[in-house]
């Protein structure tokens, strides 16, 4: 990888060659020794410019290959990941109380979530290393994205999910041919089992908080936002947070663009967690170290009591002078209805948590009316139809008669 200088421990600063199997710092261990991918920005600038992007017809994650830690012109999975729409919904902005609001709908990715960005990089790296099996733990979206992208090139997957994972996500896994291990316990217990299985069998590790390359895939959402905004930088970016990998990746994307000279400022980062599982937001609000919390929220994709990428997530908010916010399950359900009604965007609970948090931040005066905001919807609503019905309500039942029709129409004002 000519564009990568080295991997660097974010705790002690020790550097490592980007070799197969290198995931963490030997000195600091798996909890603190998370690695950053450090790039040669002069090399990137020799390969990419605003002009080359303007003339690039590959509208997928791979248009940003000079910014990604993969072998130049190396093997890649077959699904078309990335270049999701960036909407500017005027009605939604008005209802939120903003002049300029952008919504990045990453639920249109092949398996329905932002996690496809990380998984396609994972599969590309696994192909470089001639891996036969890819393994991960997940609350659902990372699992289905891993299984789908791996299936596109015939690589087997072993996936560990907590028993509470929605059936919509588990059904995806089974359709993609994954070996699914439904762990009857918490996400933390699920993660530990997957880590044991990976170590025992030598499988490729897709766990995003351990594998430093996966955050790099997630950062492409920010590269797209900038390019789609004609290289203007929003004042704020708003992301829901579970493990911490997505918000860390989003921040890293802007940082890489800044260091490579593509943009001249950085956005502030707002991290949104569900009140029923908000170890990072609660720690920030109470000015203390974070600790494990119960996983008590309908937003399963961000129900992570022990966030594995806490350090990078906290760093993204603190270095950008951003904020953390929490939202209740009722506020999340309301945000699902709110986005659907005012923008036509259907997000799962975790996917809409960011919008729920944004509404609170604007209402509380943290984000100002004239500031430009990009809010990510990280997962499609079809992932969790049970909670969608809970949010929107059951359909009206109509008797198949003229009187039944008249009665029904009167109830809706016609």
């Amino acid at each position: 990888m000519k564009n990568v200088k080295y991997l660097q421990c974010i705790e002690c600063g020790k550097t490592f060659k980007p070799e197969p199997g290198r995931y963490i710092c030997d000195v600091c261990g798996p909890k603190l020794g998370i690695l950053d991918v450090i790039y040669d920005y002069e090399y990137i600038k020799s390969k990419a410019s605003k002009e080359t992007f303007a003339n690039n017809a590959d509208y997928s994650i791979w248009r940003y290959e000079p910014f990604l830690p993969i072998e130049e012109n190396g093997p890649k999975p077959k699904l078309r990941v990335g270049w999701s729409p960036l909407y500017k919904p005027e009605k939604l902005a008005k209802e939120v109380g903003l002049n300029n609001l952008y919504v990045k709908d990453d639920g249109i990715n092949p398996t329905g979530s932002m996690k496809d960005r990380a998984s396609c990089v994972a599969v590309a790296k696994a192909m470089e290393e001639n891996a036969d099996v890819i393994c991960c733990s997940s609350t659902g979206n990372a699992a289905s994205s891993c299984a789908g992208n791996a299936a596109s090139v015939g690589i087997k997957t072993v996936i560990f999910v907590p028993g509470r994972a929605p059936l919509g996500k588990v059904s995806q896994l089974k359709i993609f041919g994954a070996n699914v291990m439904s762990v009857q316990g918490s996400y933390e217990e699920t993660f530990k089992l997957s880590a044991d299985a990976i170590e025992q069998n030598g499988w490729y590790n897709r766990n995003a908080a351990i594998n430093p390359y996966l955050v790099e895939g997630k950062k492409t959402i920010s590269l797209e936002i900038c390019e789609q905004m004609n290289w203007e930088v929003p004042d704020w970016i708003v992301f829901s947070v579970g493990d911490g990998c997505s918000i860390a990746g989003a921040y890293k994307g802007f940082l890489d663009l800044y260091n490579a000279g593509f943009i001249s400022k950085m956005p502030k980062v707002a991290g949104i967690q569900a009140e029923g599982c908000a170890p990072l937001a609660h720690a920030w609000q109470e000015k203390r170290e974070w600790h494990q919390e119960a996983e008590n929220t309908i937003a399963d994709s961000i129900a992570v009591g022990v966030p594995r990428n806490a350090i990078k997530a906290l760093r993204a908010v603190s270095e950008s002078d951003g904020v953390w916010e929490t939202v209740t399950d009722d506020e999340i359900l309301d945000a699902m209805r709110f986005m659907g009604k005012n923008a036509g965007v259907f997000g799962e609970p975790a996917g809409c948590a960011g919008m729920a948090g944004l509404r609170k931040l604007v209402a509380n005066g943290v984000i100002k009316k004239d500031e430009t905001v990009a809010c990510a919807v990280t997962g499609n609503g079809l992932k969790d139809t049970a909670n969608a019905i809970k949010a929107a309500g059951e359909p009206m039942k109509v008797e198949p008669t003229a009187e039944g029709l008249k009665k029904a129409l009167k109830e809706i004002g016609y």
Side-chain angles (χ1 to χ4, degrees):
M1 296 182 288
K2 296 179 181 178
N3 60 340
V4 176
K5 286 184 174 180
Y6 46 79
L7 306 177
Q8 185 171 39
C9 176
I10 62 176
E11 177 68 14
C12 71
K14 185 176 180 179
T15 61
F16 302 88
K17 292 181 179 179
E19 298 174 328
R22 169 58 64 189
Y23 297 128
I24 61 173
C25 172
D26 294 333
V27 177
C28 300
K31 289 188 176 181
L32 297 176
I34 299 173
L35 303 180
D36 258 337
V37 180
I38 306 300
Y39 290 93
D40 181 341
Y41 293 108
E42 292 303 317
Y43 182 85
I44 289 176
K45 286 191 282 186
S46 74
K47 293 291 184 178
S49 66
K50 295 178 182 179
E51 289 71 30
T52 61
F53 285 129
N55 294 317
N56 191 336
D58 181 2
Y59 289 100
S60 77
I61 188 175
W62 305 122
R63 71 190 282 108
Y64 303 111
E65 186 171 327
F67 281 91
L68 292 172
I70 59 174
E71 294 295 342
E72 195 169 350
N73 301 314
K76 300 178 180 67
K78 305 302 181 184
L79 301 185
R80 200 280 297 159
V81 174
W83 205 252
S84 58
L86 182 71
Y87 300 122
K88 192 178 183 183
E90 294 179 359
K91 183 181 179 184
L92 185 72
K94 182 178 180 180
E95 293 295 328
V96 172
L98 292 170
N99 292 332
N100 293 292
L101 171 62
Y102 293 86
V103 173
K104 183 67 167 169
D105 186 8
D106 238 35
I108 64 91
N109 275 308
T111 72
S113 82
M114 180 182 171
K115 301 297 178 68
D116 279 329
R117 297 179 182 273
S119 288
C120 67
V121 170
V123 173
K125 298 302 292 182
M127 294 172 74
E128 289 176 10
E129 297 181 20
N130 297 312
D132 296 322
V133 177
I134 302 176
C135 180
C136 76
S137 62
S138 166
T139 53
N141 283 336
S144 56
S145 71
C146 178
N149 280 275
S152 76
V153 290
I155 297 180
K156 296 178 182 178
T157 51
V158 179
I159 307 295
F160 291 77
V161 298
R164 61 175 164 76
L167 285 177
K169 299 177 182 180
V170 175
S171 65
Q172 278 187 298
L173 291 169
K174 298 298 292 182
I175 288 293
F176 294 145
N179 295 291
V180 183
M181 306 295 176
S182 180
V183 180
Q184 304 307 296
S186 68
Y187 175 69
E188 171 66 5
E189 292 169 317
T190 304
F191 182 92
K192 288 180 178 177
L193 283 185
S194 74
D196 290 343
I198 290 168
E199 184 176 359
Q200 291 169 16
N201 294 280
W203 294 332
Y204 188 83
N205 191 338
R206 188 255 174 251
N207 286 321
I210 298 296
N211 188 329
Y213 300 122
L214 305 195
V215 165
E216 301 302 307
K218 290 188 176 186
K219 79 181 181 188
T220 58
I221 192 171
S222 296
L223 306 186
E224 289 177 13
I225 288 172
C226 274
E227 188 176 1
Q228 289 168 326
M229 290 181 64
N230 196 30
W231 304 106
E232 294 294 324
V233 179
D235 297 303
W236 287 88
I237 56 171
V238 182
F239 277 78
S240 58
V241 179
D243 231 356
C245 301
S246 294
I247 195 172
Y251 178 73
K252 182 65 157 40
F254 284 102
L255 185 63
D256 283 345
L257 286 175
Y258 180 85
N259 288 333
F262 281 72
I263 59 176
S264 57
K265 72 170 189 176
M266 293 287 291
K268 294 181 180 180
V269 179
I272 313 300
Q273 292 202 290
E275 180 62 39
C277 188
L280 303 183
H282 287 154
W284 182 83
Q285 291 167 350
E286 298 167 17
K287 297 180 174 59
R288 58 167 172 80
E289 296 293 318
W290 71 270
H291 55 69
Q292 181 174 354
E293 291 193 7
E295 298 168 358
N296 185 24
T297 173
I298 61 169
D300 65 282
S301 292
I302 56 173
V304 181
V306 181
R308 293 286 169 173
N309 220 328
I311 298 174
K312 285 186 179 181
L314 291 167
R315 183 178 65 177
V317 173
S318 63
E319 289 189 356
S320 70
D321 196 25
V323 297
W324 289 92
E325 184 58 271
T326 63
V327 290
T328 66
D329 282 358
D330 284 343
E331 288 170 331
I332 290 172
L333 291 172
D334 188 52
M336 292 173 69
R337 294 188 295 267
F338 180 74
M339 289 196 68
K341 180 180 178 180
N342 292 297
V345 174
F346 184 19
E348 66 169 323
C352 292
M355 178 55 64
L358 172 61
R359 295 172 76 184
K360 291 183 74 171
L361 291 171
V362 173
N364 293 335
V366 177
I367 295 179
K368 310 301 182 185
K369 183 177 183 178
D370 59 351
E371 291 183 301
T372 299
V373 179
C375 181
V377 177
T378 53
N380 193 286
L382 291 175
K383 294 273 193 173
D384 189 351
T385 54
N387 274 311
I389 288 295
K390 187 175 180 180
E394 296 283 347
M396 182 182 295
K397 292 180 172 60
V398 183
E399 294 295 325
T401 63
E403 185 61 30
L405 174 61
K406 182 178 179 181
K407 181 180 178 182
L409 291 177
K410 184 177 180 179
E411 285 190 36
I412 62 173
Y414 291 97

